[in-house]
């Protein structure tokens, strides 16, 4: 039997899969600077438009939030570039002073969406970027040939923003208190709010291109997933990244299971295996093979009301079949003898592409001692000791 672990995780070796799929420092810098430019460009324009365009009774400043894969720490480089791109999800959150019992005013959604896209169009012209209007739920800014920034637009009652910020202030450290207090005064330079704020924020609606409001709180998934990562450790996040890369390899032109769908299926029943990412990945693939065929709801997120599996019946069957192949091939590759290490490497490369290192040196024998070490400890009965005599 073989251990495939080092093909995926190998003490920071630049050829191991976890390192190859990681965004580079340069890529992070480019996207972070672009995100900051978008934030700084939108902040004052939206503030002025809150009264002049959106009909509020006074000006308010928007808040901003990095979310999605960069918040989950599961972002990976695409397997096929082009057409695949990295995505930074950067939400704009608008405090609404004219909130009603039904939510934000209906006519505000389209006005909000249009004014943000007009502002982004000006910024794109200045920066040489491209504004993509094809998405129904966000504005998309293509900042390079390999990445874009999605800008979804949200709204929540202004008094809720203030209430939650006051709570965040109460629980903030002294070092952060000044920053949070300044944000209460809606000073423009504090548009990105502290973590304690987002953990308590709700009553959020998202604007769509068609001019509709949808009840939405992306933080629900983030908080639930972070709890699972704290429970199971960093291996869960790595396995999710491996599976996103597997998805990207097999669905070159998009489609397939969404990143959130993969995360939810894996995280809700994850089985960590210390020092064995290959086994944890194989077990997670089995979860996918079963779950992808049907609806996927998680009671810990939105009380289980949302079905995270948006695939059609035919797409579900295809995805479940590919996941089953992944699990079976990983298992079969582990059963090979040491003399067939190259075959094991070739098998894994067929599953994930040539970003898996063609290195038989990364393959190790899986002996009985390894099996004992990864078997969970159990409480056994104490040994029976007969009567003894001293002296």
């Amino acid at each position: 039997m073989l251990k495939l672990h080092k093909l995926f995780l190998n003490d920071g070796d630049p050829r191991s899969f976890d390192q190859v799929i990681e965004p580079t420092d340069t890529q992070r810098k480019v996207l972070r600077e672009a995100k900051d430019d978008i934030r700084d460009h939108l902040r004052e324009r939206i503030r002025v438009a809150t009264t002049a365009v959106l009909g509020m009774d006074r000006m308010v400043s928007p808040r901003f939030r990095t979310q999605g894969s960069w918040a989950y720490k599961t972002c990976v480089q695409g397997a096929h570039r082009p057409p695949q791109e990295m995505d930074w999800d950067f939400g704009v959150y608008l405090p609404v002073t004219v909130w009603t019992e039904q939510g934000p005013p209906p006519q505000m959604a389209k006005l909000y969406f249009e004014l943000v896209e007009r502002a982004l169009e000006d910024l794109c012209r200045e920066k040489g970027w491209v504004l993509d209007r094809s998405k129904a739920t966000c504005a998309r800014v293509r900042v390079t040939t390999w990445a874009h920034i999605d800008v979804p637009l949200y709204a929540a009652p202004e008094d809720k923003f203030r209430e939650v910020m006051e709570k965040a202030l109460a629980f903030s450290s002294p070092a952060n208190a000044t920053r949070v207090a300044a944000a209460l005064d809606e000073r423009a330079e504090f548009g990105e709010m502290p973590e304690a704020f987002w953990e308590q924020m709700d009553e959020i609606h998202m604007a769509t291109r068609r001019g509709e409001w949808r009840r939405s709180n992306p933080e629900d998934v983030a908080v639930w997933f972070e709890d699972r990562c704290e429970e199971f450790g960093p291996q869960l996040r790595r396995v999710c990244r491996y599976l996103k890369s597997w998805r990207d390899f097999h669905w070159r032109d998009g489609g397939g299971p969404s990143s959130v769908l993969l995360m939810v299926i894996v995280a809700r029943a994850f089985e960590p295996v210390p020092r064995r990412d290959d086994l944890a990945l194989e077990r997670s693939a089995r979860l996918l093979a079963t779950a992808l065929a049907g609806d996927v709801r998680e009671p810990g997120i939105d009380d289980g009301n949302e079905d995270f599996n948006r695939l059609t019946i035919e797409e579900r069957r295809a995805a479940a079949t590919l996941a089953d192949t992944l699990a079976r091939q990983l298992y079969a590759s582990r059963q090979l003898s040491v003399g067939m290490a190259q075959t094991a490497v070739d098998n894994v490369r067929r599953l994930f592409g040539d970003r898996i290192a063609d290195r038989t040196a990364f393959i190790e024998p899986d002996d009985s001692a390894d099996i004992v070490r990864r078997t969970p400890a159990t409480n056994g009965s104490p040994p029976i000791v007969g009567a003894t005599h001293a002296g």
Side-chain angles (χ1 to χ4, degrees):
M1 295 178 66
L2 302 176
K3 289 197 295 186
L4 313 177
H5 170 74
K6 287 188 176 180
L7 288 175
F8 298 97
L9 181 70
N10 191 14
D11 296 326
D13 190 306
R15 294 165 295 184
S16 62
F17 196 52
D18 71 306
Q19 295 295 307
V20 172
I21 62 179
E22 179 81 11
T24 67
D25 290 342
T26 299
Q27 289 170 332
R28 292 176 186 274
K29 182 174 184 291
V30 167
L31 287 171
R32 189 177 297 111
E33 290 177 351
K35 176 265 298 182
D36 289 345
D37 287 340
I38 289 172
R39 177 200 63 203
D40 295 342
H41 184 79
L42 290 181
R43 191 168 47 206
E44 187 58 27
R45 289 186 177 221
I46 293 176
R47 176 179 170 83
V48 170
T50 53
T51 54
V53 177
L54 301 181
M56 295 194 205
D57 50 12
R58 57 190 172 83
M59 290 185 185
V60 293
S61 295
R63 311 303 201 238
F64 301 90
R65 173 70 165 168
T66 290
Q67 49 204 41
S69 62
W70 287 92
Y72 307 143
K73 302 180 181 67
T74 59
C75 186
V76 295
Q77 300 204 43
H80 306 284
R81 295 171 289 161
Q84 294 170 356
E85 301 175 0
M86 274 190 280
D87 168 28
W88 189 301
D89 197 353
F90 192 55
V92 181
Y93 290 77
L94 183 66
V96 175
T97 65
V98 287
W99 201 267
T100 69
E101 290 184 0
Q102 290 72 40
Q107 71 277 9
M108 187 182 290
K110 192 167 186 62
L111 294 171
Y112 182 23
F113 210 103
E114 289 175 347
L115 79 88
V116 168
E117 283 206 324
R118 282 196 300 271
L120 289 175
E121 189 172 32
D122 292 342
L123 181 62
C124 288
R125 192 178 300 114
E126 174 188 331
K127 295 286 187 179
W129 298 341
V130 176
L131 181 62
D132 180 347
R133 290 186 167 90
S134 66
K135 304 296 290 182
T137 56
C138 68
R140 173 168 289 181
V141 180
R142 299 189 178 279
V143 298
T144 76
T145 57
W146 48 264
H148 60 263
I149 295 180
D150 281 341
V151 186
L153 308 178
Y154 302 94
E158 192 269 346
D159 57 355
K160 183 67 176 181
F161 272 85
R162 183 168 294 273
E163 172 193 335
V164 171
M165 184 51 63
E166 288 171 349
K167 291 180 181 178
L169 174 61
F171 289 101
S172 291
S173 65
N176 198 39
T178 300
R179 182 177 186 272
V180 181
L184 274 171
D185 294 332
E186 297 188 344
R187 287 173 55 189
E189 63 265 39
F190 297 101
E192 294 187 68
M193 313 305 285
E195 197 70 27
F197 175 87
W198 296 109
E199 290 175 358
Q200 302 176 62
M201 194 66 192
D202 55 15
E203 298 184 48
I204 296 172
H205 289 65
M206 180 178 67
T208 70
R209 184 175 298 280
R210 293 178 58 183
E212 302 167 334
W213 290 110
R214 295 182 187 174
R215 190 71 181 262
S216 174
N217 188 358
E219 193 66 13
D220 287 347
V221 176
V223 170
W224 178 85
F225 183 66
E226 199 60 38
D227 287 345
R228 303 290 76 72
C229 288
E230 289 183 11
E231 178 182 359
F232 298 122
Q235 189 178 61
L236 169 59
R237 217 184 297 268
R238 291 198 303 271
V239 168
C240 288
R241 295 170 73 243
Y242 302 152
L243 287 170
K244 286 181 63 175
S245 299
W246 164 80
R247 184 269 318 275
D248 290 348
F249 178 64
H250 290 279
W251 281 269
R252 178 189 181 95
D253 297 313
S258 72
S259 299
V260 172
L261 174 59
L262 295 174
M263 283 169 43
V264 170
I265 292 173
V266 172
R268 65 184 182 177
F270 189 66
E271 295 182 59
V273 188
R275 300 177 299 278
R276 291 298 301 268
D277 280 17
D278 56 336
L279 285 178
L281 175 59
E282 182 184 318
R283 293 177 181 181
S284 295
R286 291 197 194 101
L287 295 175
L288 290 181
T290 300
L292 285 172
D295 292 353
V296 176
R297 303 178 187 274
E298 169 50 48
I301 305 172
D302 194 29
D303 296 323
N305 291 321
E306 181 174 359
D307 178 11
F308 289 97
N309 195 349
R310 312 290 171 78
L311 300 175
T312 66
I313 294 176
E314 293 77 12
E315 289 169 339
R316 291 181 179 192
R317 290 172 181 159
T321 298
L322 275 175
D324 182 64
T325 299
L326 172 61
R328 290 176 181 272
Q329 287 299 312
L330 287 173
Y331 175 81
S333 298
R334 288 194 303 104
Q335 307 312 303
L336 297 174
S337 65
V338 173
M340 298 188 71
Q342 185 62 58
T343 300
V345 171
D346 293 342
N347 288 347
V348 179
R349 283 166 64 87
R350 278 192 289 271
L351 296 168
F352 290 90
D354 60 11
R355 293 191 297 175
I356 292 287
D358 191 4
R359 300 276 298 175
T360 57
F362 286 179
I363 303 293
E364 296 177 316
D366 187 5
D367 57 30
S368 58
D370 292 318
I371 296 173
V372 170
R373 278 194 293 270
R374 67 174 180 261
T375 301
T378 58
N379 293 323
S381 302
I384 299 174
V385 180
T388 60
H389 299 277

